[in-house]
Amino acid sequence: MRKDVLSWDQYFMGMAHLSAMRSKDPNTRVGACIVNPQKRVVGLGYNGFPYGCEDDEFPWERDGEFLDTKYPYVVHAELNAILNSIQDLHGCTLYVSLFPCNECAKAIIQAGITCVVYESDKYDGTEGNIASKRMFHDAGVKLIQLPYDMEVETRINNR
């Protein structure tokens, strides 16, 4: 029997990483993959601007006046995956390379996703992160942190 076969978690997180490579964000590239209980991909997303908003016309800055930064414009990978989904998401699992923010947590819960598998939790302890975890806990969403693959993250962010 072959020993080099990817686990389901590695496979779907790999798809999230592949999706992240579509992001044009020069600082943080995040990808998400939604999988139904039958292990079929039903949604993919990455962080970027809404459909029709040109990447060269909106700012990618992280600092400065609010409207001169990316924050009011970028759609996070998780929300993009939900919006791009092809079926009802109740009972699905979301694979995402970065732990969801509180705004995405609301959408994940409302969509009926019951499990979030993530790698990086670099914002652990921040107010937004605490709010996400509180909502996930109260809504009964299972959280699973996979070992973080720094090598993969470096490849994604250095493209």
Side-chain angles (χ1 to χ4, degrees), residues 4 6 12 24 42 45 75 85:
D4 61 345
L6 294 174
F12 295 127
K24 294 178 180 76
V42 296
V75 180
S85 64

Side-chain angles (χ1 to χ4, degrees), residues 55-105:
D55 295 321
D56 298 331
E57 302 296 321
F58 285 83
W60 285 109
E61 302 303 317
R62 295 179 351 175
D63 299 314
E65 296 294 320
F66 184 67
L67 293 177
D68 295 329
T69 68
K70 66 182 178 177
Y71 300 111
Y73 310 109
V74 168
V75 180
H76 287 180
E78 304 93 325
L79 184 57
N80 259 331
I82 290 168
L83 295 172
N84 292 330
S85 64
I86 60 172
Q87 73 168 51
D88 176 49
L89 301 179
H90 283 83
C92 287
T93 297
L94 171 76
Y95 287 82
V96 63
S97 51
L98 179 63
F99 190 85
C101 73
N102 59 298
E103 292 299 320
C104 288

